[in-house]
């Protein structure tokens, strides 16, 4: 809870005016959409083989509704943190169940997953990590340039953000890969991917950094300068550490988004995760297996970044949260 | 409780010398031909109605504001727009703001110690010791490890004073240091400023605290519409103001 007001509201879901209509809606919805035909319906049929047609729909809807009701009953009795984690876990289990219902060949996944990780994941991580580092440096330079009194620097920075935020990332990859050779520079696929991702994300992050720096009241700059501190020290010791609070959440978004946008460099034939997921499935017509595996790997990487972001946020919030 | 006296040069030259200062914001002239000298060790109080240019005036002294014509000399250095000159002057001038402007991401101790390390080149241990020394002077050594947001306004302003004075400047500028404070906290800040004055610090204080002016000031200046309208020692300034505008202003702030 971010804003506490020290009032005990009766939790929404314990009020009959809320949970009765809610459960009724779930029951009605499931019945209407003929839940009996679904995977859960087949499960219910196993328990009650006599049911069929409409009775099966009704039975399935009732089964799910009772399950949901019982779940809410249990969850509401737990402390807040456990509620959050339990609900998260249940939803994750549902998604996994959804994947499981595809009738996947786990033998095939087992055979391919090693290569997917050692070649695909490693390439994806390598490209993303290098691009993230370069993009951060570009963004810092871009933001400082935009806030400077140097007309040339400002002009370059404004043009840079305009161009690289304005062109589709895919286009940038092609332009570097196919365009630069026209000037006599042949660029390999991986450096192409890194260059395009760095430039594009650097442009977005320039704006994040600029807004973060501008969010610091000018009294901070004045106080530090009046103490005799040099502009660079004021920036690195006073302004930037404070703007981190504002900068980090959207930057975390950018990092997670870059992780997945790195799949675009597969168009120039880089053997990263997405490329392998598409090609490895082809030979045996096992596309779904590879897609599901790759999806889960992407998701796991995002979760790691999410956790890292949370830690960094806590660090920079130290002074603000008493 | 004593403040170490600033190591001022043994000259009779005034600490601050302002001649023929004019400043405009666009077409609005906010300072009109200001002439003002502040002698070493002098305690000057500047008062005047809102918008009369008090902040602008003291902020030109350490180049937080620019100006169009006139001359400002601080401790013998003539202010211009050269980075080295400006930084030299800022090292001789301490400033305290109405809004405190503490660094919220640093503890109280770090607020005072960081500038000492970066600007004065002290080692971490020296900076820490000196910062603690000055925090004791403003009577809050026990808050050293807290963050500014955990302190009351009066405590924050005292930290801001300690931070500025720890740099051992030759002159201290105060821009309405108690205006953002609740009445019961004003006194604790003024007490610290009185002690500082008794220690012989050269001070220019923009304030409406006329009690402080009576007790501490060598000279009171009244500004209106960008001009110095009247000045004199508190004894005559408060009892026998000459101009009508001064009288009207004093009537307002003294009641
Ligand atoms: N950045 C600015 N741009 C334009 N005009 C300004 C700016 N800063 C101040 N002024 C104007 O300059 C004049 C003097 O302002 P200043 O802040 O010095 O007054 P002050 O005497 O300190 O008033 P107060 O008691 O309210 O602090 C005012 O008319 C104000 O509107
Ligand atoms: Mg002011």
């Amino acid at each position: 809870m971010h804003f506490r007001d020290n009032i005990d509201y009766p939790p929404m879901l314990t009020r009959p005016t809320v949970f009765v209509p809610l459960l009724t809606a779930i029951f009605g919805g499931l019945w209407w959409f003929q839940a009996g035909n679904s995977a859960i319906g087949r499960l219910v049929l196993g328990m009650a083989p006599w049911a069929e047609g409409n009775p099966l729909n009704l039975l399935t809807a009732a089964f799910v509704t009772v399950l949901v009701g019982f779940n809410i009953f249990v969850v509401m009795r737990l402390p807040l943190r456990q509620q959050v984690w339990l609900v998260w876990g249940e939803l994750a289990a549902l998604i996994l169940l959804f994947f499981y219902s595809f009738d996947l060949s786990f033998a095939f996944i087992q055979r391919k997953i090693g290569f997917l990780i050692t070649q695909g994941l490693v390439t994806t991580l390598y490209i993303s990590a290098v691009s993230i580092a370069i993009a951060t440096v570009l963004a810092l330079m871009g933001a400082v340039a935009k806030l400077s009194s140097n007309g040339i620097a400002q002009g370059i920075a404004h043009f840079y953000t305009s161009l690289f935020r304005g062109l589709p990332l895919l286009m940038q990859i092609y332009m570097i890969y196919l365009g630069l050779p026209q000037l006599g520079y042949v660029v390999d696929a991986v450096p192409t991917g890194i260059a395009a991702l760095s430039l594009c994300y650097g442009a977005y992050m320039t704006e994040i950094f600029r807004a973060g720096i501008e969010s610091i009241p000018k009294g901070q700059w004045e106080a530090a300068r009046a103490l005799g501190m040099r502009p660079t020290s004021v920036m690195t010791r006073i302004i930037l550490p404070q703007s981190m609070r504002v900068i980090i959440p959207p930057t975390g978004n950018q990092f997670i988004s870059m992780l997945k946008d790195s799949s675009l460099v597969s168009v120039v034939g880089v053997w990263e995760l997405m490329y392998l997921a598409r090609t490895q499935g082809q030979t045996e017509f096992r596309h779904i297996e590879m897609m599901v595996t790759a999806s889960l790997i992407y998701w796991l990487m995002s979760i790691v970044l999410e956790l890292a972001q949370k830690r960094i946020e806590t660090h920079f919030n130290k002074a603000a949260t008493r | 409780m004593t403040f170490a006296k600033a190591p001022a040069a043994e000259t009779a030259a005034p600490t601050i010398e302002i001649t023929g200062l004019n400043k405009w914001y666009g077409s609005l002239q906010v300072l009109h031909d200001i002439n003002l000298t502040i002698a070493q060790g002098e305690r000057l109080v500047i008062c005047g109605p809102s918008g009369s240019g008090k902040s602008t005036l003291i902020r030109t002294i350490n180049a937080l504001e620019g100006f169009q014509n006139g001359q400002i000399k601080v401790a013998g250095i003539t202010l211009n727009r050269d980075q080295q000159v400006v930084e030299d002057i800022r090292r001789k001038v301490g400033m305290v703001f109405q809004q405190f402007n503490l660094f919220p991401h640093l503890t109280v101790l770090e607020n005072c110690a960081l500038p000492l390390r970066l600007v004065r080149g002290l080692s971490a241990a020296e900076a820490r010791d000196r910062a603690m020394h000055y925090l004791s002077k403003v009577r809050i050594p026990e808050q050293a490890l807290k963050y500014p947001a955990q302190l009351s306004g009066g405590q924050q302003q005292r930290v801001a004073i300690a931070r500025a004075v720890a740099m051992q400047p030759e002159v201290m500028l105060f821009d309405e240091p108690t205006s953002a404070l609740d009445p019961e906290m004003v006194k604790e800040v003024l007490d610290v400023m009185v002690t500082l004055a008794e220690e012989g610090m050269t001070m220019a204080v923009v304030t409406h605290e006329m009690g402080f002016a009576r007790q501490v000031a060598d000279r009171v200046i009244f500004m209106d519409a960008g001009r110095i309208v009247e000045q004199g020692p508190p004894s005559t300034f408060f009892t026998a103001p000459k101009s009508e505008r001064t009288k009207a202003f004093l009537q307002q702030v003294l009641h």
Side-chain angles (χ1 to χ4, degrees):
Chain A
M1 243 173 308
H2 188 60
F3 301 111
R4 286 173 207 279
D5 58 6
N6 300 312
I7 294 175
D8 283 330
Y9 297 106
M12 286 271 257
L13 289 169
T14 61
R15 300 182 207 174
T17 46
V18 175
F19 73 74
V20 171
L22 179 76
L23 293 179
T24 313
I26 291 177
F27 179 79
L30 288 169
W31 184 26
W32 179 258
F33 286 106
Q34 310 195 340
N37 295 337
S38 69
I40 306 170
R42 287 196 293 279
L43 199 74
V44 174
L45 192 62
M47 295 186 287
W50 46 267
E52 213 182 316
N54 205 31
L56 181 62
N57 288 337
L58 275 173
L59 210 59
T60 312
F63 176 67
V64 175
T65 308
V66 168
L67 219 59
V68 171
F70 178 70
N71 192 26
I72 291 175
F73 179 83
V74 171
V75 170
M76 292 306 285
R77 264 146 197 78
L78 295 173
L80 182 75
R81 277 192 81 78
Q82 289 177 27
Q83 288 183 353
V84 176
W85 287 115
L86 187 63
V87 170
W88 198 102
E90 285 176 350
L91 292 173
L94 278 183
I95 282 286
L96 292 180
L97 223 69
F98 171 63
F99 287 153
Y100 184 73
S101 73
F102 294 166
D103 197 16
L104 304 171
S105 155
F106 288 101
F108 181 76
I109 293 179
Q110 214 168 22
R111 209 153 14 96
K112 294 291 187 186
I113 194 165
F115 187 53
L116 231 49
I117 287 175
T118 53
Q119 171 63 39
L121 174 62
V122 166
T123 310
T124 292
L125 278 181
Y126 167 71
I127 291 179
S128 303
V130 175
S131 305
I132 282 170
I134 300 177
T136 306
V137 174
L138 284 176
L140 200 54
M141 294 195 323
V144 170
K146 278 196 170 184
L147 298 173
S148 76
S149 52
N150 181 333
I152 296 174
Q154 272 195 40
I156 295 174
H158 281 292
F159 179 78
Y160 165 62
T161 47
S162 167
L163 182 70
F164 285 93
R165 288 199 304 171
L167 296 184
L169 179 52
L170 196 57
M171 209 75 88
Q172 296 176 31
I173 294 172
Y174 279 130
M175 279 194 180
I176 294 173
Y177 195 63
L178 304 174
L180 281 189
Q182 304 291 321
L183 302 177
Y185 298 100
V186 178
V187 192
D188 282 343
V190 170
T192 297
I194 290 177
L197 283 170
S198 310
L199 285 166
C200 180
Y201 276 82
Y204 282 107
M205 283 162 56
T206 294
E207 287 301 281
I208 295 175
F209 279 41
R210 180 189 58 75
I213 291 171
E214 280 180 340
S215 73
I216 305 305
K218 91 178 195 303
Q220 291 288 309
W221 175 269
E222 287 180 349
R225 290 294 280 150
L227 284 161
M229 289 170 63
R230 288 280 170 120
T232 356
S233 326
V234 181
M235 206 61 193
T236 55
R237 310 301 287 266
I238 305 298
I239 306 292
L240 282 178
Q242 290 185 59
S243 40
M244 281 302 161
R245 266 168 53 92
V246 183
I247 288 175
I248 282 169
T251 302
N253 262 352
Q254 294 293 304
F255 285 180
I256 289 173
S257 155
M258 176 192 283
L259 203 59
K260 289 162 298 163
D261 272 356
S262 69
S263 61
L264 284 174
V265 307
S266 61
V267 296
V268 290
V270 177
W271 283 24
E272 48 72 67
L273 190 51
M274 187 69 179
Y275 180 86
L276 292 186
R278 267 193 296 127
T279 50
Q280 293 294 302
Q282 249 156 22
T283 47
E284 298 179 34
F285 297 103
R286 294 238 172 245
H287 297 284
I288 296 278
E289 273 82 353
M290 290 294 94
M291 287 303 156
V292 167
T293 312
S295 301
L296 288 181
I297 295 177
Y298 275 119
W299 188 17
L300 272 178
M301 289 193 290
S302 303
I303 290 176
V304 171
L305 280 184
E306 267 179 62
L307 293 177
Q309 176 190 336
K310 204 167 166 93
R311 284 196 79 121
I312 299 173
E313 262 182 54
T314 318
H315 173 76
F316 282 106
N317 276 337
K318 212 173 41 194
T321 52
R322 328 181 191 175
Chain B
M1 183 182 126
T2 54
F3 280 97
K5 191 174 174 183
E10 283 301 317
T11 54
T15 303
I16 293 173
E17 213 175 342
I18 300 173
T19 31
L21 182 66
N22 286 283
K23 177 177 173 65
W24 287 263
Y25 280 119
S27 60
L28 173 73
Q29 185 162 11
V30 290
L31 294 178
H32 284 268
D33 194 32
I34 303 282
N35 293 291
L36 177 67
T37 58
I38 305 177
Q40 193 188 314
E42 184 175 9
R43 277 92 60 161
L44 180 74
V45 162
I46 303 168
C47 61
S50 182
S52 56
K54 310 176 297 288
S55 299
T56 309
L57 173 60
I58 67 165
R59 285 162 58 88
T60 53
I61 295 173
N62 64 351
L64 288 183
E65 301 284 353
F67 54 91
Q68 279 77 19
N69 58 50
Q71 195 193 45
I72 297 180
K73 269 171 105 168
V74 180
I77 308 172
T78 304
L79 178 62
N80 59 29
R81 298 183 70 95
D82 181 75
Q83 161 149 355
Q84 196 56 51
V85 169
V86 169
E87 274 169 11
D88 283 347
I89 285 182
R90 284 178 179 163
R91 279 160 211 226
K92 297 181 187 299
V93 179
M95 189 160 206
V96 172
F97 301 84
Q98 184 175 352
Q99 300 299 337
F100 327 141
N101 292 346
L102 294 180
F103 307 133
H105 62 303
L106 301 178
T107 62
V108 163
L109 181 62
E110 290 165 344
N111 261 276
C112 301
L114 183 71
L116 286 172
R117 291 199 352 243
L118 295 179
V119 180
R120 291 283 184 237
L122 299 193
S123 73
E126 288 168 335
R128 203 187 148 279
D129 288 348
R130 199 196 288 184
M132 278 315 291
H133 176 72
Y134 283 93
L135 285 172
S136 311
K137 299 274 186 212
V138 300
R139 301 171 199 129
I140 36 176
E142 72 282 358
Q143 311 283 3
L145 298 181
K146 289 197 183 161
Y147 286 96
Q150 295 166 292
L151 304 187
S152 73
Q155 291 173 324
Q156 291 191 46
Q157 192 61 296
R158 285 188 280 149
V159 173
I161 294 174
R163 179 176 72 177
V165 178
M167 303 297 286
Q168 299 178 341
E170 294 187 18
V171 54
M172 283 287 300
L173 309 176
F174 294 83
D175 189 1
E176 305 203 31
T178 57
S179 299
L181 298 176
D182 291 336
E184 72 270 22
M185 296 174 189
V186 170
K187 187 173 178 304
E188 65 188 53
V189 171
L190 290 180
D191 284 349
V192 165
M193 291 170 62
V194 170
T195 317
L196 192 56
E198 284 166 355
E199 291 299 322
M201 175 64 84
T202 312
M203 296 164 72
V205 185
V206 176
T207 185
H208 292 159
E209 295 293 335
M210 291 304 140
F212 173 81
R214 278 212 182 88
Q215 184 186 351
V216 174
D218 298 312
R219 183 160 49 127
V220 183
I221 284 183
F222 174 71
M223 283 185 74
D224 191 28
R227 296 172 206 274
I228 296 179
V229 175
E230 183 160 349
Q231 54 179 307
S235 49
T236 57
F237 182 86
F238 288 111
T239 51
K242 280 170 255 148
S243 95
E244 287 306 313
R245 278 182 290 178
T246 316
K247 282 177 197 160
F249 175 77
L250 285 177
Q251 204 125 69
Q252 278 183 345
V253 294
L254 290 178
H255 293 286

